[in-house]
Amino acid sequence: MSQVLINSCGVSTSLRFTDTSFFIEPTNLDKVPLRNVISAKVASGVVEVQYLVRKGKENCLNLATTSGTAQNEDTTRAKEWCEALLLVAYQGANPSKNLKVLVNPHGGKGKGRALYVSKVEPILLAAGCTLDITYTTHSGHAIEIAREMKLGYDALVTVSGDGLIHEVLNGINQHEHRDRAFCIPIAPIPTGSGNGMSLNLLGLQDGLDVCAATLNVLKGQPLKTDLFSFTQGDRCRISFMSQTVGITADLDIETEQLRWMGDIRFIIGYIRAVIARKSCPIELSMKVVDQDKSRMMDALHARRAGESPSPSSLSGSLLSDNKKPDSASSSHEEWTRFQRPILWMYAGQGPFVSRALMQFPVSLADDGLIDISIQEITSRSALLRAMDGAEEGRTYWINSNRYFKASAYRARPLASKGTLMVDGEQVPFEEFQVDVLNGLGTFLSPYPYYAPEFLVRDVQGKT
């Protein structure tokens, strides 16, 4: 039973579906991917189907509705058709999820609340989700909420940028039942100035589309990701995306007043920093596992093709109660010191740190390693040329960009003043160590790997 006839605005309309698509005939609308179907129901003899379609110049998804009185159908048969459609559209999963939603109304361009109310919430309500909504009011609010949250949620939705995810993960790390809390998948909705995680989960087309991200809340599957312990003295925090020092850290904090500009702020900050070209005196040591760029790219492609196994999780041993991760627990490699003068060090995971920068193009979600990019001192003209193709990862192939995969690293700033950023948040400019917490994080994703593809094989962009 793949078809039902309705009277929609006086027009006899056929609604039908296959294993992959939903069709409305006659209509100007192309077939709708079955994944985009949100709800189907019958009430008082009226059949209503809600789904997402691409509209506008930016080709973003928007919620649409087709409804009409069932023709020559009894209510029972129409309900059976709707149930069959939803069964296929959700692949047997329950559409009605129990969600904890955190909205940062002031993030990015300050449109978090408006976007949530106008775009996100209608989709979640259409699917029949139960929503426990909190609007954050101050820095650290999400830490407090995540630390005390109940464990019965199907997902934790963050309506903001990467900073809110950072707070949530650090709150979960303080939870009374943190191992179980870390298993609640996080689903980011991109309304911040930095939306790297959403780009990494959904790809370039959908990574900044709030409706596509909301669809991922409903249809995504859990993706295990590595997290990192960032330790300074007796203080330890969770990092999920990046740590950086030098020019790349300076431009982040120096463009704070330009958050309203979105990702453009980072480009402006980079140009300013190149003009200054300030060196980054630092003592840096790593437990290097690989530094062969071609081999790391081949490993990425093999993983995406399903040709290499997922590494086993070590998160339990690394986060047992009252135990801090240390070099002995994280790996057996020897410490290697990097001794050349540098402009910046950028470490983390996930290909994109912003829309304009694919910083870690060969990053794997759960390989138990952290990618480290170190920019040696080079000319201003070379640094400006590096902007060309940065969004597709060309900088990976620049000779002065030294790239490593490591199981741990530690750094000691040699200057008295400077900037150190963790997941876009400023931390004390002091000695620190980073260890990998393999597979500890959980996010919702349409794919079993990070979405962005890395295809360029040289700095000119050859594929």
Side-chain angles (χ1 to χ4, degrees), residues 260-290:
W260 59 273
M261 299 180 68
D263 280 349
I264 298 297
R265 66 180 266 231
F266 299 116
I267 297 175
I268 294 174
Y270 180 78
I271 294 172
R272 288 178 181 172
V274 167
I275 294 172
R277 205 177 58 134
K278 185 171 63 175
S279 65
C280 176
I282 190 171
E283 186 178 286
L284 178 64
S285 298
M286 303 168 285
K287 289 197 169 186
V288 177
V289 174
D290 203 349

Side-chain angles (χ1 to χ4, degrees), residues 158-291:
T158 59
V159 185
S160 187
D162 297 316
L164 196 64
I165 301 173
H166 176 84
E167 285 196 10
V168 165
L169 288 169
N170 279 277
I172 290 175
N173 191 45
Q174 300 170 24
H175 198 280
E176 180 183 5
H177 305 288
R178 61 182 176 182
D179 290 341
R180 292 167 58 195
F182 270 121
C183 291
I184 299 174
I186 296 171
I189 307 293
T191 64
S193 59
N195 301 290
M197 194 62 190
S198 184
L199 288 165
N200 293 330
L201 294 172
L202 304 180
L204 285 179
Q205 181 179 32
D206 291 337
L208 300 180
D209 183 338
V210 295
C211 289
T214 307
L215 180 63
N216 182 53
V217 175
L218 301 174
K219 305 288 184 85
Q221 296 296 314
L223 172 70
K224 301 302 290 186
T225 69
D226 295 333
L227 300 178
F228 311 110
S229 67
F230 178 91
T231 305
Q232 291 181 305
D234 60 355
R235 305 184 305 277
C236 185
R237 72 171 67 209
I238 296 293
S239 170
F240 77 98
M241 188 171 69
S242 66
Q243 312 91 42
T244 184
V245 63
I247 284 177
T248 47
D250 295 340
L251 69 88
D252 199 336
I253 200 67
E254 289 172 2
T255 60
E256 181 70 21
Q257 75 280 9
L258 301 178
R259 276 186 177 270
W260 59 273
M261 299 180 68
D263 280 349
I264 298 297
R265 66 180 266 231
F266 299 116
I267 297 175
I268 294 174
Y270 180 78
I271 294 172
R272 288 178 181 172
V274 167
I275 294 172
R277 205 177 58 134
K278 185 171 63 175
S279 65
C280 176
I282 190 171
E283 186 178 286
L284 178 64
S285 298
M286 303 168 285
K287 289 197 169 186
V288 177
V289 174
D290 203 349
Q291 56 181 311

Side-chain angles (χ1 to χ4, degrees), residues 282-342:
I282 190 171
E283 186 178 286
L284 178 64
S285 298
M286 303 168 285
K287 289 197 169 186
V288 177
V289 174
D290 203 349
Q291 56 181 311
D292 185 311
K293 291 184 178 180
S294 295
R295 184 168 58 209
M296 289 186 281
M297 184 176 188
D298 291 343
L300 170 72
H301 291 167
R303 179 64 179 278
R304 291 180 67 92
E307 297 173 4
S308 56
S310 298
S312 60
S313 174
L314 302 175
S315 60
S317 63
L318 289 178
L319 263 190
S320 57
D321 286 342
N322 300 319
K323 179 180 178 183
K324 284 191 228 172
D326 57 30
S327 58
S329 66
S330 60
S331 68
H332 300 289
E333 290 81 24
E334 295 295 326
W335 288 103
T336 300
R337 186 172 175 182
F338 190 88
Q339 301 190 51
R340 299 183 183 181
I342 68 172

Side-chain angles (χ1 to χ4, degrees), residues 64-84:
T65 302
T66 293
S67 63
T69 305
Q71 293 182 4
N72 304 319
E73 309 277 356
D74 59 44
T75 301
T76 300
R77 190 175 185 280
K79 285 182 177 178
E80 289 174 350
W81 182 88
C82 289
E83 290 170 358

Side-chain angles (χ1 to χ4, degrees), residues 90 92-101 124-125 127-132 152-155 157 185 214-222 444:
Y90 281 86
N94 181 13
S96 305
K97 293 178 168 52
N98 182 20
L99 304 172
K100 178 62 186 178
V101 182
L124 299 179
L125 292 177
C129 293
T130 300
L131 307 179
D132 179 0
Y153 298 112
D154 294 312
V157 182
T214 307
L215 180 63
N216 182 53
V217 175
L218 301 174
K219 305 288 184 85
Q221 296 296 314
L444 286 179

